[in-house]
């Protein structure tokens, strides 16, 4: 992979571009899909099939709160496409969760699993709830009821959830137990489980590690040494923390991080482990000593070389794209750039490494976990990390080659490869 591969990308900068007006997450995901489908000339009947999810389930999730009240939350599971294998995708607990967002995230999983060439389709789930407002017992009851209510859609060869924003290994442990109570002990029903319940070594840090690996590959393609590269990270959760740690290990300098409580900035570099210890002790990055305070979104604007949005979707949009100073953006989060912001940043020459590859480390190690559960065999951490690096970097190389060959952006290339593979599977199955 040479310098030319990324530098030679000549994004289509002419034309009117995407609308500047706000798009919902599903509208944005569909925009990128339709653009790719048009570029690769997918059959119009297949486009019709893939332009909407296969199945959407909306469930009530009643929870007896610690104070005796009954609260009823709303949950979803959306299965976008199972053309290439069982549905696969995380479960999000966040106040912003709605059907539109879950739909968008499910479709991104379809393209992502196809892009990294693992035998899964795409799905996503979520509950509209602020998990920080629940006690551990309330969260456990919510998870059990949500799982029971969607269990008829799940199965080792049907649909396999995983963690996402607001959920973690413990949540997956409760999901596995609730599913097992009805269908019998089934470790392969969820990935991202605790190690003691059949989880995979390396899964917890896999998404962040993948972010660091694709950042390394991008810098290499640009002929830049990671040593001293200034990185800013929005979102200091599962993805953001491990991405920051691995990027430090590569020699980068993490100059700013933020979470829901606010942000901190230190131009000569933050001690990521010390920030993590501060978060463990106080609940957020805000108040970390010897650093300037920022807002949660202020981190997007700091002077840096690489920006890693690793929290919510849609954070870089028509009104703030021009304030981004980084010339490389690595999408740890799903859908952090709106189509308009993405188009403007490409025009400006910013290299945008799309979510489909940037955060695919998580689903790759989820695939390893699922395979280990089916085989009832445990891999070493070294094997997990080696195979993650091989599969992720191979897929990224394919995107870079395609982008260079077709003269499109990395995002266009990633979507084109994913969409082509899913369309081929639908065709071979005889759907059309
Ligand atoms: P998480 O819940 O572990 O962490 C989320 C972080 O974002 C927290 O630090 C939270 O405080 C912060 N945050 C929330 N709102 C914010 C705001 N307005 N501004 C700044 N920070 C804010 O979630 P996660 O698992 O790290 O997921 C983060 C993103 O990565 C999501 O978009 C998710 O879909 C994506 N992702 C996660 C995985 C995974 O394996 N966990 C895999 C692929 C993609």
């Amino acid at each position: 992979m040479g310098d030319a591969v990324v530098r030679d990308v000549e994004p289509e900068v002419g034309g009117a571009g995407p609308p500047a007006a706000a798009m919902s997450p599903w509208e944005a995901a569909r925009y990128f899909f339709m653009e790719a489908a048009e570029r690769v000339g997918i059959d119009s009947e297949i486009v019709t099939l893939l332009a909407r999810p296969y199945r959407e389930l909306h469930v009530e999730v009643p929870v007896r709160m610690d104070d005796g009240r009954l609260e009823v939350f709303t949950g979803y599971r959306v299965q976008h496409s199972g053309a290439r294998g069982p549905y696969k995708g995380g479960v999000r607990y966040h106040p912003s969760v709605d059907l539109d967002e879950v739909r968008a995230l499910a479709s991104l999983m379809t393209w992502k699993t196809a892009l990294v060439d693992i035998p899964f389709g795409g799905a996503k789930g979520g509950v509209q709830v602020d998990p920080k407002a629940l006690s551990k017992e309330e969260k456990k009851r919510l998870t059990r009821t949500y799982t029971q209510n969607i269990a008829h859609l799940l199965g080792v060869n049907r649909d396999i959830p995983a963690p996402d924003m607001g959920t973690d290994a413990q949540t997956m442990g409760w999901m596995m137990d609730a599913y097992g109570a009805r269908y019998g002990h089934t470790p392969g029903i969820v990935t991202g489980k605790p190690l003691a319940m059949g989880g995979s070594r390396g899964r917890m840090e896999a998404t962040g590690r993948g972010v660091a690996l694709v950042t390394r590959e991008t810098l290499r393609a640009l002929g830049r040494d990671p040593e001293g590269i200034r990185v800013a990270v929005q979102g200091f959760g599962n993805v953001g923390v491990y991405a920051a740690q691995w990027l430090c290990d590569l020699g980068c300098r993490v100059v700013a991080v933020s979470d829901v409580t606010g942000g901190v900035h230190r131009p000569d570099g933050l001690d990521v482990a010390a920030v993590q210890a501060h978060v463990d002790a106080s609940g957020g990055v805000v108040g970390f000593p010897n650093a300037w305070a920022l807002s949660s979104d202020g981190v997007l604007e700091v002077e840096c070389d690489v920006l890693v949005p690793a929290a919510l979707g849609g954070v870089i949009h028509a009104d703030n794209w021009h304030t981004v100073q980084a010339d490389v953006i690595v999408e740890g989060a799903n859908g952090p750039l709106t189509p308009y912001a993405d188009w403007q940043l490409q025009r400006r020459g910013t290299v945008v490494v799309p979510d489909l590859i940037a955060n695919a480390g998580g689903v790759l190690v989820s695939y390893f976990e699922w395979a280990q559960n089916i085989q009832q065999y445990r891999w070493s951490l070294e094997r997990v990390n080696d195979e993650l690096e091989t599969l992720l970097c191979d897929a990224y190389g394919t995107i870079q080659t395609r982008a260079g060959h077709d003269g499109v952006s990395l995002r266009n290339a990633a979507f084109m490869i994913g969409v082509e593979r899913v369309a081929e599977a639908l065709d071979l199955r005889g759907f059309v």
Side-chain angles (χ1 to χ4, degrees):
M1 184 185 339
D3 190 13
V5 177
V6 169
R7 282 288 187 211
D8 275 0
V9 171
E10 289 296 343
E12 292 211 347
V13 294
M23 285 186 189
S24 74
W26 171 236
E27 285 167 341
R30 248 173 73 111
Y31 181 91
F32 289 131
F33 159 65
M34 296 301 272
E35 193 182 28
E38 199 173 306
R39 278 184 200 276
V40 293
I42 298 294
D43 178 278
S44 65
E45 290 180 339
I46 291 188
V47 172
T48 306
L49 267 178
L50 291 173
R52 53 189 176 197
Y54 168 67
R55 184 189 275 140
E56 300 180 341
L57 179 65
H58 165 172
V59 290
E60 301 284 293
V61 187
V63 179
R64 184 67 63 192
M65 306 302 276
D66 292 345
D67 63 6
R69 278 176 308 118
L70 185 77
E71 265 204 54
V72 184
F73 299 92
T74 304
Y76 305 94
R77 186 74 185 166
V78 173
Q79 298 174 333
H80 175 261
S81 169
R84 289 176 42 91
Y87 300 98
K88 185 87 191 83
V91 173
R92 179 175 288 196
Y93 290 175
H94 194 272
S96 74
V97 166
D98 61 13
L99 186 55
D100 184 281
E101 183 182 80
V102 181
R103 233 180 230 163
L105 294 166
S107 72
L108 291 179
M109 288 305 296
T110 299
W111 317 130
K112 191 180 300 177
T113 53
L115 175 68
V116 296
D117 208 6
I118 54 178
F120 290 129
K124 205 81 182 191
V127 179
Q128 192 179 82
V129 61
D130 178 3
K132 285 197 185 314
L134 301 183
S135 70
K136 185 174 178 189
E137 285 302 311
E138 288 167 343
K139 205 166 153 184
K140 188 200 293 184
R141 289 196 285 274
L142 173 99
T143 302
R144 297 189 76 86
T145 306
Y146 169 68
T147 307
Q148 283 158 12
N149 294 356
I150 65 164
H152 57 292
L153 298 189
L154 306 182
V156 177
N157 293 308
R158 290 185 182 278
D159 187 344
I160 307 118
D164 191 77
M165 273 187 92
T167 58
D168 56 13
Q170 173 63 81
T171 324
M172 295 304 110
W174 293 329
M175 287 193 81
M176 173 182 149
D177 187 66
Y179 183 88
R182 186 187 290 187
Y183 296 102
H185 181 67
T186 321
I189 189 60
V190 286
T191 57
K193 300 177 288 292
L195 267 182
M197 292 179 72
S200 177
R201 296 189 172 99
R203 172 61 184 89
M204 199 156 67
E205 56 271 43
T207 310
R209 185 158 189 271
V211 168
L213 287 170
V214 298
T215 306
R216 182 194 72 190
E217 295 300 296
T218 305
L219 292 172
R220 187 178 288 168
L222 293 169
R224 285 159 75 174
D225 185 351
E227 194 64 42
I229 287 282
R230 296 161 307 165
V231 180
V233 182
Q234 186 191 43
F236 204 63
N238 176 271
V239 179
V241 167
Y242 287 110
Q245 282 177 5
W246 286 102
L247 285 164
C248 284
D249 289 351
L250 290 177
C252 298
R253 194 156 33 109
V254 175
V255 295
V257 298
S258 77
D259 65 11
V260 74
T261 66
V264 287
H265 181 202
R266 199 183 151 106
D268 62 351
L270 293 159
D271 177 342
V272 173
V275 179
Q276 176 65 67
H278 176 82
V279 171
D280 289 345
S282 70
V285 302
V286 76
F288 181 70
N290 303 321
W292 298 333
L294 291 170
S295 67
S296 297
D297 285 344
V299 75
L300 303 171
E301 304 175 8
V302 301
E303 204 180 313
C304 64
D305 306 297
V306 176
L307 174 63
V308 181
L312 295 170
V315 293
I316 303 175
H317 44 72
D319 299 331
N320 70 352
W321 68 266
H322 57 278
T323 64
V324 172
Q325 300 202 46
D327 53 11
V328 175
I329 299 176
V330 182
E331 294 187 327
N334 283 307
L337 272 64
T338 65
Y340 183 79
D342 183 56
W343 177 70
Q344 287 287 12
L345 285 160
Q346 304 281 348
R347 273 163 50 111
R348 194 180 78 175
T350 306
V351 175
V352 179
V353 185
D355 46 8
L356 293 190
I357 187 71
N359 65 34
V363 77
L364 274 167
V365 178
S366 275
Y367 165 51
F368 302 158
E369 181 173 330
W370 179 74
Q372 290 172 71
N373 292 154
I374 290 171
Q375 295 168 4
Q376 303 196 29
Y377 182 75
R378 181 161 277 182
W379 295 8
S380 67
L381 179 61
E382 194 182 21
R383 178 171 176 193
V384 169
N385 284 342
D386 284 353
E387 297 218 14
L388 167 62
E389 183 165 349
T390 303
L391 295 191
L392 193 68
C393 294
D394 280 359
Y396 191 32
T398 309
I399 298 169
Q400 288 176 311
T401 304
R402 181 69 175 266
H405 182 267
D406 288 10
V408 296
S409 69
L410 294 171
R411 188 188 311 281
N412 287 145
F415 266 84
M416 287 159 70
I417 296 166
V419 169
E420 268 173 356
R421 288 183 181 164
V422 177
E424 183 190 11
L426 278 177
D427 187 36
L428 290 170
R429 278 170 180 265
F431 265 69
V432 285

